Amino acid sequence: MRATLRKRMRGWVLFVALCLAPGLAKARAPEIVQRFGDGDAPRHLLIRSTADLSIFGQVIEAYLATRAGLAVTYQQWGSNDLYDDSVDGCHGGPDPADMVMSSGVHQMVKLVNDACARSYRSPETENLPAALRWRDELWGVTREPVVMVYNRALVPPSEVPRTRFDLLDLLRPSLSRYAGRVATYDIERSGLGYLFAFADSREAATFGGLLESFGRTDAIATCCSAELISGVADGTYLIAYNVIGSYAMERAFGDDRIGVVMPEDYTLVLSRAVMIPKTARHASEAQAFLDYLLSSAGQTELQRARLIMPLVNEEGAEGERISETALRPIGLSPTLLVALDRQKREQFIRRWHETFQGTRLPSAEPQ
């Protein structure tokens, strides 16, 4: 199915290349748009999401095989732009989405808190753990660890960081060969990167040390998973920190240059959040797709797409088994609103910016 999807994408995918048409550029626009299903189908579903089309597209195709007469338009967005677009939609903007799915789950909690979502309850949603269901308006549908990625050829086995303390040790020497060769998300442009960094700051005693080490060794801040993973693969970076594991493992599956580690001190676990906007025009179709994602068939497809990954008591990315006590799921709850408190966010980004001043790479922000 994956090969078929990639073949079809060559003819179907529309890349929104705003840089090639500055006169037509808008402040916000999807990065990629693709239509699935029969163009004359009587029913339609518009999904706006941060998930890579190359990964999530196979899930949509599997669903359409079970639901005749439906066409799906899928728009891939960056997390910050998707949030802003969803705010506009909440306040009567044109062409509202029927479903929004984002890795920026703190932003999704804010949208629900601001009364932008509609309620829905079904046997499938009620089977979710309480931490992945909030107010019957927001649901966590994936299970993705946050990992470190390294270059297998350039990082000796003895230096592969299994914990954040190991990473600090690699950066500690004054002439560390890892100086300028460690990268992470630019949290000003990536809502996902901001979420991970903020979660780190609340979890770990190592956060201050990591920021100091990143600043002292000229670590690189860039926009997105694809750039981080590709940079490790080609040797531009030796290690990438806080990368979403689904994308890393999808790439590592076909590229033996890439190694993936779930940190043993603690591993953040992301569940992408789904919301059905209150302004959705095809809410019943969105509800049916949500139920599919949470069903056994949908969960199997998400596993095939590596959007649900093995964690506790299962073989991990490098063959190790992760202790349950090391897992730190990012729950869907009002506590995430702290991350979007204006004063706290400004202080956090100011501190982060001081660390990465001069080492941020310009780029787009798909997540």
Side-chain angles (χ1 to χ4, degrees):
M1 181 176 289
R2 183 174 295 139
T4 300
L5 174 64
R6 287 171 178 163
K7 182 178 179 181
R8 291 179 181 176
M9 282 174 60
R10 288 197 289 268
W12 291 353
V13 175
L14 168 64
F15 287 88
V16 186
L18 297 177
C19 59
L20 299 180
L24 300 176
K26 297 179 180 179
R28 295 187 299 274
E31 298 149 355
I32 302 174
V33 178
Q34 180 169 328
R35 188 176 177 90
F36 293 82
D38 185 352
D40 296 324
R43 303 192 312 281
H44 185 253
L45 175 63
L46 173 58
I47 302 172
R48 293 193 175 119
S49 170
T50 60
D52 278 10
L53 171 63
S54 61
I55 292 177
F56 196 70
Q58 62 189 286
V59 180
I60 296 174
E61 287 202 325
Y63 176 63
L64 288 179
T66 71
R67 197 164 180 86
L70 176 67
V72 173
T73 297
Y74 186 80
Q75 297 181 354
Q76 178 183 313
W77 289 69
S79 50
N80 287 341
D81 280 353
L82 179 58
Y83 171 71
D84 291 339
D85 177 81
S86 299
V87 171
D88 288 347
C90 181
H91 294 95
D95 193 26
D98 299 313
M99 173 181 282
V100 176
M101 182 173 75
S102 180
S103 53
V105 298
H106 57 312
Q107 297 167 328
M108 297 290 277
V109 168
K110 180 70 163 63
L111 288 167
V112 169
N113 193 66
D114 291 346
C116 294
R118 67 172 65 203
S119 178
Y120 176 64
R121 182 179 297 177
S122 71
E124 286 76 13
T125 65
E126 292 196 344
N127 281 336
L128 277 173
L132 299 182
R133 183 181 75 245
W134 187 45
R135 287 180 17 177
D136 292 319
E137 295 177 6
L138 193 65
W139 306 274
V141 299
T142 68
R143 183 178 67 168
E144 304 169 68
V146 183
V147 302
M148 290 188 280
V149 180
Y150 68 95
N151 185 295
R152 288 182 179 274
L154 301 177
V155 178
S158 62
E159 295 183 5
V160 173
R162 301 291 173 181
T163 69
R164 289 164 181 79
F165 298 100
D166 293 341
L167 181 57
L168 285 169
D169 287 343
L170 295 178
L171 297 174
R172 185 167 290 117
S174 58
L175 298 177
S176 170
R177 72 185 190 90
Y178 292 90
R181 307 289 294 282
V182 174
T184 190
Y185 290 112
D186 183 338
I187 70 169
E188 289 186 272
R189 288 178 291 163
S190 170
L192 179 65
Y194 176 82
L195 173 66
F196 291 165
F198 192 84
D200 270 345
S201 73
R202 297 171 68 85
E203 278 291 345
T206 53
F207 183 71
L210 281 174
L211 275 188
E212 186 278 329
S213 295
F214 286 164
R216 177 172 44 80
T217 60
D218 295 324
I220 304 299
T222 190
C223 76
C224 45
S225 304
E227 290 192 9
L228 288 168
I229 298 166
S230 293
V232 169
D234 66 22
T236 301
Y237 315 130
L238 298 179
I239 296 170
Y241 176 74
N242 262 10
V243 181
I244 192 164
S246 53
Y247 296 165
M249 285 304 299
E250 173 69 13
R251 182 70 180 272
F253 182 74
D255 191 336
D256 60 10
R257 296 174 297 176
I258 296 170
V260 181
V261 171
M262 290 185 258
E264 295 173 2
D265 49 333
Y266 70 89
T267 294
L268 296 172
V269 182
L270 172 75
S271 291
R272 293 176 193 258
V274 166
M275 177 190 82
I276 301 173
K278 67 179 182 181
T279 53
R281 294 171 179 167
H282 307 99
S284 62
E285 292 297 344
Q287 291 163 357
F289 187 47
L290 172 63
D291 282 342
Y292 172 78
L293 292 175
L294 299 177
S295 71
S296 59
Q299 294 284 286
T300 297
E301 290 302 325
L302 289 169
Q303 289 172 19
R304 288 174 178 165
R306 295 190 176 82
L307 292 170
I308 293 179
M309 293 182 60
L311 297 172
V312 179
N313 297 323
E314 300 172 80
E315 187 171 296
E318 293 288 299
E320 82 281 13
R321 294 179 183 272
I322 303 301
S323 166
E324 185 172 6
T325 59
L327 298 180
R328 300 292 188 275
I330 301 173
L332 305 180
S333 75
T335 58
L336 289 177
L337 294 174
V338 176
L340 289 175
D341 176 83
R342 176 172 295 181
Q343 183 176 1
K344 290 183 180 297
R345 188 176 190 277
E346 288 176 353
Q347 292 174 346
F348 190 81
I349 287 182
R350 187 181 306 115
R351 180 184 179 191
W352 179 93
H353 191 271
E354 290 171 355
T355 297
F356 286 93
Q357 191 170 9
T359 61
R360 297 168 62 217
L361 301 183
S363 182
E365 184 258 329
Q367 222 39 264

